[in-house]
Amino acid sequence: MVGEINTVSFTLNGKVQVVNGEDGDGVSLAKYIREVALLTGTKVSCGEGGCGACIVTVSKFEGDTPRAVNSCLSPVMICGGWSITTVEGLGGKAVGYHPIQTALAATGGTQCGFCSPGMVMQLHSYLQEHPDATVKDIDNILDGNICRCTGYRPILDAFKEFGSDAPKKFSHLIADIEDLSLKGICKRTGEACPGAGNCASSVGAGCHGKNSKDAGSSKWHQPASVEELTSILKGFTPETKYRIVGGNTGTGVFKRDEESYDAFVSINKIEELKETSTNPMFLGGNVSITDAIHFFTKAGESNPVWTAIGQHLNLIASVGIRNQGTLAGNLMMKNAHNDFPSDVFLSMETAGATLEIVDPNGGIEEKTVGEFATTDMNRKFIKKIKFPSLKNKTTKKDLHKLWLTSKAKAGGAEWKIRTFKIMPRSSNAHGYVNAGFLALVDAENNFKIEGKPTIVFGGINSTFIHARETENFLMGRNMNDHDMFIEALTILASELEPEFDPVLASPIYRKQLAMGLFYKFFLYVLGDAASPNVRSGALNLDRGLSRGEQSYDTDESLWPVSEPIEKIESKWQTSGELKYVGDIPTQQGELHSAFVLSNRANCDVVSVNATRALAMPGVVDFVDANDIPGVNDWRMAAVPEEIFCSGKSMYAGQSLGLVVAETREIAIEAARMVEVEYASGGDIVVDTEKAMETPANVIPFGPAMEYGPVDANMESAARVVQGRFKMGSQYHFHMETHTCIVSPMEDGFDLMIPSQSVDAIAAVVAKALNIPVNSINTTITRLGGSYGAKIVLPNQLATAAAVAANKLRRPVRLWLPLEDNMKLFGKRTPYVFDYKIGLSDEGKIMAIQSSIYCDGGWSLNEVDSPFAAVFGQSCYKIPALRFAPYGVRTDTQPPTSTRAPGMCNGHAMIEAIMQHAAVEIGMSPLDLRMNNLMEQGDPVMPPPLTLDVPCPISSMIEDVMTSGEFTARKEAALTFNQANRWKKRGISLVPMRYGHNLTLFSGFKMNCLISVYGGDGSVSVAHNGIEMGQGINTKVAQCVAFELGIEVSMVKVKPVTNLTNPNGAITGGSAGSESNCVAAIKACEILKDRLSATREKLGKDATWPEIIAAANTAEVDLCARYMFEGKKDEYNGYSVWGVAITEVEVDILTGEMFIVRADITEDAGLSTSPLVDIGQIEGAFGMGLGLWTSEEIKHDPVTGELLTMNTWEYKPPAAKDIPQDFRVIMLKNARNPMGVLSSKATGEPALLMGISVLFAIWDALNSYKVDAGQTGWWQLNGPATVEHIHQHAGVTPDQFTF
């Protein structure tokens, strides 16, 4: 057939790759890079183009501009002629690191490291295309790269160093980047190599498939002309399932439009579809969104209408998606899914574009973009997008008008355009609503609209495009006529009927938002003719350049302890050399697996029929509960949670079985073919408050925690304030989704898994298989992020894969796609608090009581309301207190530990109470807080503890108010708010006490094994802690180096195994680093004791290698082990103190918000590793910001299914969602006598202070409410999403004044 592709060839880091047709079917570029070329630096996390882990640099033809591309979405069959560079192509150990890799490591810009290669490649790609990029340019390029660990600030700092206008802080790192590009790349492996690329010939280039096989046939076609494309389409029948492929980015959104395709047509070699012309003005259908932006930016130099169109296109997705996605591709998504809020569709329709569509006979029809939405496009394609000239209308010069104006020009109508996209976060999100307005307006003639204006909306419903009645009404009207505007707004309101969809924002918000955008357009056109206090309503929020400051103590006498060194793995992370479980090469005979998940809660599973799945080529078996030789329970908690469902689906997303196949792709596809029959469906409750209406769902979790005369004090209080506060759930968003490899061995099974517990997981797998624990050989190298998700949840993966490996006697790999990862497993516990506080006339707390309701999912196994009760006092003096913890049963996944579990909830509760009480008694929240700070000797939770150190909060608040310019900023916000009705600033100050009471937990023990090698004195350490980005390996290495008096470079930390490190605690609760450091120090003391005689004998001038050589010869044991135990080592814990000031700016008309500035002071003692700890504080605070703003979990109320299950619907903060100005101080002169080498924990405490953003938003909204005459208390629950912010403002259309 015409244009059929039999082979595709491209270069990968300079090495030619040839892919046979049938081998390339269904293979993404990322899969090819990782599994065929074995370059595992390129990561895959979401598989949707939503996280940026898979970014590579691509030049598509000789002389093409290199650009970033999401390799997970690019089929390898469209890569013909491409030149591809991966992170391995930039640098590495063997040839030296690229300046970008070095800079990112040096600033502390890596933690778990899973996102780091994608970050590096994003900047590398951008600098290839924009060598003179400014700091501001670079500040905007991470719109599609997610980092959950760092809070982005150090990444942005490192990258901005490469700006052409940057003040070079790290200039010693930045050599001539061009000189380094692709030098020393091995032609054999595609990786950096010491032979400068000459160690092997490039003959025998890689081929996906067996070398002896001829080029296979393929489903792929690649026409070289419009005529060939037409001919191919004509050869299809109307029933042929085919896909025209340009960039293929749409598959990140709509993954399963068809179960399978008969044919794919790559149109990337058709030059005619990439043509551009300014006169007449048109773009070929296959022009990339990035190229369209450049085109419109240039066109905008002579007509600002096109500037607006280019700016709107820049809001689409992310850099990598815009580089690869095409205009026609985006439009075709709208054609196939009319409810898709396409920004290409909206902007093209606003501009009045028409489409030239070619049918299979070569006939051409022209349609408006709006008409195209419902056009049958079977075997048709978009050839061109044509644009009208949109020239301004000049009127004949009027002498009388010129006489009366000082302006040189008078009269004439101008095109006024405004487009909007209101998103749940700053970037890479679909709009709640998008809108385009275009009108020819004569400003000199009362802003008269000439002709018919254009008013287009997306996100309303699947059929709504134009507000036709409103457009017609506005013809010939004067835009400065407010009565007319209100009439038009009334007509618009009658036209807008948003569809309900449980995953979308509410219909009422979308309707009111659309009306607010209409008002914004009027304000924009009126400009200075509108009154000053409403003018800012026309403007978008303007977040400036990101910046940050960090301040901390260090003690050179203790170095390398307290020295701000980069993490010991950081360069391996930035170069992609670090290996995660998913990077381990496939073993011979290895199988892949995928879960079959239920899609309904609270019902019986009558049958699970895998017949269709088993009939698929490549499927090996279906494994279910009948195949478990031991116990069908992976949780080992009070209520068993089954590995595979044995008959009742407790929640939608529960595991029913496992499909095992030859490839992961086959396993995933086959899992979707398994047919499940349900019966006896009961009521489904997914909301905590709704569940609480049924008393049987509410279970006390232990007795109330209390002290003092609560009832008597409440009775005698001058004021009693009571209320209800709620906060939602949060997905961990660890970039490495859950994965494991289980391999049958002669003595049992080898288990490779990213887990926070080396012991528990081996025990659970052994019980499932009914074998002894010593038959399970567990190895844990590192985690690509976790935040609590990998404490117990990996047990289900490990047990499921082990059951399959046991049944089939072959290695089984189980790697969850993001959607399964989110549907199967629980997240942060949602909470409801019913509270009451009694206060004296002077504003002193007399008593507090609260019922603490924690949503525990269906099993209640991980209800953490007792934790919330312990943390519910924070830093306040409360003479009498009663906190009653409860669990609430819902038909959802049982939640699990999530960074600061229960801790952030308890802290949020007391701060919400303080906020409410302050407003009710007419006191400022800050004054109420300052009036009630605890003192040494006061009772603290849990009873009968008391505070055994002075409370430093008062002085910390004074210090941060000075350094954070609190008073001046509060006054500036007041002035700003008085001048602006539609933009409001808010500021809050929140203190924190985090009780790090380690001895409350039984079984708190960690061991460390240190081996010193007699040959050269180098040191290996195997400690019990799991490295997951928190820098535990770096801190342990620093402590070992300090204790032994050697360089950190002599210390290497090895993986954790259940042989070297048995019977230790999980790594979590911010206690892992310090406890393992203690164990390491104690092991060093054992070694030093053994070496003392040798040292004495050799004298003080002996070097470490000399001492070790002599000791080894003298048969001294150079291997030492110590088990740290909290009680034995009297490591009782301490308080971590903190204060945060957060300032926001809110757009009242949309609900959008950005964080202007955040100042955090945290008492971290003397930090063992300041770069690591600054990163921990920033990252935890950033995750807290997400919890309180953009991250919202939604379930289907009918089926119980998780709706926010991918990067399309779930939005953790992106790089521009962090504070624009982010300042962190680790408290000076605050050594901790109770901590290891004077340090304190940093992993979780700062997350608690994230609630400061909620109160800052409240403060901003309250300013608007006061303007509108609304006074008194009102509750703002978490998360304060864009929708919820808008809905709490209480905007009414009578406030839409000019």
Side-chain angles (χ1 to χ4, degrees), residues 65 119 140 195 214 218 245 296 355 466 577 672 734 894 991-992 1046 1112 1128 1176 1216 1255:
T65 306
M119 296 283 182
N140 288 315
D214 293 331
S218 161
V245 179
F296 289 120
L355 305 180
H466 281 267
E577 292 167 308
R672 289 201 296 269
H734 42 93
M992 170 200 74
I1046 59 178
N1112 193 39
K1128 175 189 78 180
Q1176 286 291 284
K1216 300 304 282 289
F1255 301 140

Side-chain angles (χ1 to χ4, degrees), residues 1134-1279:
Y1134 44 81
S1135 294
V1136 178
W1137 308 89
V1139 182
I1141 297 174
T1142 300
E1143 182 180 0
V1144 301
E1145 186 175 321
V1146 172
D1147 186 326
I1148 301 296
L1149 287 169
T1150 64
E1152 295 166 297
M1153 173 277 301
F1154 82 96
I1155 303 171
V1156 178
R1157 178 172 163 182
D1159 296 76
I1160 301 170
T1161 297
E1162 185 168 311
D1163 163 26
L1166 177 69
S1167 168
T1168 304
S1169 195
L1171 266 189
V1172 165
D1173 284 332
I1174 286 283
Q1176 286 291 284
I1177 291 168
E1178 290 176 334
F1181 187 72
M1183 190 165 176
L1185 297 178
L1187 168 65
W1188 292 109
T1189 57
S1190 61
E1191 296 184 56
E1192 186 172 29
I1193 296 288
K1194 293 183 178 182
H1195 291 87
D1196 187 312
V1198 177
T1199 63
E1201 287 179 287
L1202 180 71
L1203 298 173
T1204 46
M1205 59 184 177
N1206 48 38
T1207 58
W1208 181 241
E1209 298 296 355
Y1210 189 77
K1211 301 297 178 185
K1216 300 304 282 289
D1217 294 304
I1218 65 166
Q1220 178 191 322
D1221 189 347
F1222 199 179
R1223 307 186 189 194
V1224 177
I1225 296 171
M1226 290 198 287
L1227 192 63
K1228 307 287 178 70
N1229 304 313
R1231 295 186 186 223
N1232 176 24
M1234 305 301 292
V1236 57
L1237 295 171
S1238 304
S1239 69
K1240 286 190 176 182
T1242 55
E1244 290 171 309
L1247 187 139
L1248 277 60
M1249 294 185 280
I1251 196 173
S1252 57
V1253 75
L1254 186 77
F1255 301 140
I1257 292 167
W1258 188 96
D1259 191 45
L1261 285 178
N1262 200 56
S1263 171
Y1264 173 77
K1265 284 177 171 285
V1266 170
D1267 285 355
Q1270 305 168 32
T1271 55
W1273 169 252
W1274 55 278
Q1275 183 68 268
L1276 179 63
N1277 295 311

